[in-house]
Amino acid sequence: MRKPIIAGNWKMHKTIAEGVALASDLMAAATGELADFNGCEVVLCPPFTAIRAVADAVKGSAIQVGAQDVHWESHGAFTGEVSCAMLIDAGCSWVIVGHSERRAMFGDTDESVNRKVKAALAAGLKPIVCVGESLDQRESGLTHDIVTAQVLAAFNGVPAQQGAKVVVAYEPIWAIGTGRASSAADAQEVCAGIRTTLSGIYGSEIASEIRIQYGGSVKPGNMQEFAGEADIDGALVGGASLNAADFSGIIRATGVAKNRR
Ligand code: PGA
């Protein structure tokens, strides 16, 4: 049984003080009504500047911390970049790789995503690899081909025992930040396709261990439907991860769906 994983991608939001306040509100929820987060893994991904403070704030709790990007080199003359070792040093155990905003605006390619995945795994960071099609691609019937190519590229050369640690986030680009989430059935279809692709790489046993999140306008009100699908193992959440009530609502809904599955 795969343990659902809910990750909050704060993007370019939250100062240190704001991030610590949000983390503290979530911890309060975790020790109360949401004890043990209903069997979900919970990861917060603040901007780089707030990682250390948020990691300190959640120390000793079930909340884990991740970054939103990383560079594949271990050190050197790469102005503006941050290495895996630096992220671990700051308190991260996870890192988001290949988010569509980074692919669209900051030059991430299938090749650089693969380098980042390998560097993260080699350093002991667990990657959340984002894949997903644009609206044009969906309307042209290319969703399956695009997502399959992204998954194959991201896992290229990653050995099975490391591949099993990766989380894939299926995020249709047209659903991100638009309030227009995918239907749960459509998301399930793509996620099942991703699992078939993973099965082709690693065999069905490893593929059945790899967790696949849905992302794109996830809210407390639609999470139960997504989490009820056979191949959806949690969510990567943007906007709704920025306040404790919505984010805990998403965790709660995931726990409810999981217990029914
Ligand atoms: P959203 O973003 O939840 O605001 O749609 C999701 C994401 O970009 O990971």
Side-chain angles (χ1 to χ4, degrees):
M1 186 84 180
R2 296 180 295 270
K3 191 172 188 178
I5 175 165
I6 310 293
N9 173 11
W10 293 0
K11 308 192 179 181
M12 199 167 74
H13 295 283
K14 306 283 179 197
T15 61
I16 292 173
E18 290 164 351
V20 168
L22 174 52
S24 307
D25 288 349
L26 288 168
M27 299 231 307
T31 50
E33 181 229 347
L34 277 180
D36 292 333
F37 287 125
N38 286 336
C40 301
E41 263 188 84
V42 173
V43 183
L44 304 180
C45 302
F48 289 132
T49 46
I51 287 174
R52 177 77 264 167
V54 168
D56 285 346
V58 301
K59 208 176 235 151
S61 81
I63 298 176
Q64 305 170 73
V65 178
Q68 299 171 19
D69 192 23
V70 69
H71 192 64
W72 59 84
E73 294 290 348
S74 60
H75 60 274
F78 302 104
T79 302
E81 295 294 328
V82 172
S83 73
C84 296
M86 290 168 185
L87 294 183
I88 292 169
D89 187 40
C92 289
S93 46
W94 293 89
V95 62
I96 298 170
V97 174
H99 190 279
S100 62
E101 285 152 17
R102 299 226 54 95
R103 292 182 192 251
M105 293 186 274
F106 304 105
D108 268 14
T109 62
D110 281 348
E111 200 207 349
S112 66
V113 167
N114 177 241
R115 284 188 182 195
K116 291 176 183 190
V117 167
K118 285 179 177 158
L121 288 166
L125 274 177
K126 290 172 277 189
I128 296 174
V129 182
C130 303
V131 298
E133 81 287 359
S134 68
L135 189 57
D136 268 5
Q137 291 164 336
R138 169 152 289 255
E139 286 173 348
S140 314
L142 293 173
T143 300
H144 178 78
D145 290 355
I146 294 289
V147 170
T148 302
Q150 288 174 332
V151 170
L152 288 172
F155 283 87
N156 186 27
V158 175
Q161 78 277 16
Q162 298 217 312
K165 295 179 191 150
V166 176
V167 168
V168 179
Y170 166 57
E171 299 205 303
I173 297 169
W174 46 270
I176 296 178
T178 58
R180 188 184 152 202
S182 165
S183 73
D186 284 350
Q188 161 59 23
E189 189 183 333
V190 179
C191 292
I194 292 172
R195 204 173 300 287
T196 303
T197 305
L198 293 169
S199 197
I201 308 172
Y202 297 122
S204 57
E205 204 168 310
I206 299 276
S208 72
E209 285 173 32
I210 297 178
R211 291 173 296 177
I212 305 174
Q213 297 172 315
Y214 167 76
S217 298
V218 170
K219 303 270 179 309
N222 60 19
M223 187 61 213
Q224 206 175 312
E225 251 189 279
F226 288 114
E229 295 290 349
D231 288 290
I232 300 179
D233 310 307
L236 181 56
V237 186
S241 73
L242 296 176
N243 76 77
D246 281 351
F247 197 60
S248 5
I250 288 167
I251 297 165
R252 185 179 307 118
T254 308
V256 171
K258 180 182 169 259
N259 293 334
R260 289 207 183 133
R261 219 149 99 176

